[in-house]
Amino acid sequence: MPTLTAAALDQAAARIIRTDRLTEPERDAWAGPVALSFDERLALAALAVDARISTEPLDLADVIRGPVDAPTAPALQPYRTPIAALFHRAHTRLLNDGWCADRLRDEQGARCLIGAIRAEASSRGEADDACTLLLDIVRDEFDPTAETIASWNDRQRDGHMPARLLGHAASRADARGI
C-alpha cells in the first residue's frame, strides 16, 4: 500500500466539501461526491479518528490514590466450637511459621504439632484436650501404632501431613461440636 505524504493528504482534504457548512445556493450548485481513492479515504478516516483522540496528558494524581491506613481485617474464623477453632489457628500458625520435628519450636520459629497447638491455646487444659483428640484422630485415620503426637510428628518428612492433620482435625472437631 503506498504511503501518502502530507501534501497528498492536504490535496485530498481540499477536494472534500462539507455540505453542512454550505449555504443553500452553494449546496444546490455542488455537483455531488468527489471520487477519492481507497488510500485517500483510509488516510482521511485515520485523520478523523486522530482528531477525536484527546492528546492532553492525564493527571495521575486524580486517578491514583495511595493506600489508606486502615487496620487489617482479622482472619476469618470458620469454626465456632473452641477446639475446632484452636485446630484452625494452629494450622494457620504451622503454615505461616513453618514446621519442625524433634522439638516444640526451632531457632527460626517453626513449630511442631504440639508447639503450634500450645501457642494458640488459651489455656493448658484446652491444649491438652486438643492433643488428646488429635491423638485419637491420628490413631483412627493415619497410624494405629502411634504412641504420642510427638512420635508421629517426628516420623514425618515435612510439614505437609502435620498441616493436613490439623485441618482435618478442625473439621472433625467442628462436626462433633467440640
Side-chain angles (χ1 to χ4, degrees):
M1 176 158 107
T3 57
L4 295 174
T5 63
L9 285 175
D10 289 340
Q11 239 180 6
R15 291 174 34 199
I16 294 181
I17 300 172
R18 295 210 38 193
T19 58
D20 59 338
R21 293 188 181 165
L22 296 177
T23 63
E24 191 68 33
E26 291 173 333
R27 196 175 297 130
D28 291 339
W30 187 61
V34 176
L36 296 176
S37 71
F38 177 75
D39 291 335
E40 291 171 331
R41 288 182 292 168
L42 188 62
L44 288 173
L47 287 174
V49 169
D50 288 345
R52 291 182 184 157
I53 295 175
S54 173
T55 58
E56 182 178 318
L58 181 63
D59 183 13
L60 293 179
D62 292 338
V63 179
I64 299 174
R65 302 279 187 226
V68 177
D69 293 333
T72 58
L76 295 176
Q77 181 59 268
Y79 302 106
R80 298 184 190 275
T81 58
I83 299 297
L86 171 60
F87 283 141
H88 177 73
R89 290 191 310 270
H91 176 256
T92 303
R93 180 176 289 268
L94 204 65
L95 293 176
N96 291 336
D97 294 350
W99 171 83
C100 69
D102 299 323
R103 62 188 80 156
L104 290 175
R105 183 176 179 196
D106 69 4
E107 298 80 28
Q108 288 80 29
R111 297 177 184 270
C112 71
L113 282 170
I114 297 172
I117 290 171
R118 284 185 183 170
E120 294 297 332
S122 60
S123 68
R124 180 68 182 221
E126 186 181 39
D128 291 343
D129 291 343
C131 287
T132 301
L133 178 60
L134 192 62
L135 182 59
D136 290 341
I137 293 171
V138 166
R139 287 178 177 161
D140 288 345
E141 299 183 24
F142 292 96
D143 183 6
T145 63
E147 295 178 19
T148 63
I149 295 295
S151 66
W152 184 85
N153 182 76
D154 293 346
R155 285 196 307 263
Q156 303 307 307
R157 290 180 283 153
D158 58 24
H160 176 73
M161 283 304 290
R164 182 174 171 219
L165 172 64
L166 285 173
H168 181 69
S171 301
R172 289 274 307 263
D174 188 53
R176 291 184 186 177
I178 54 174

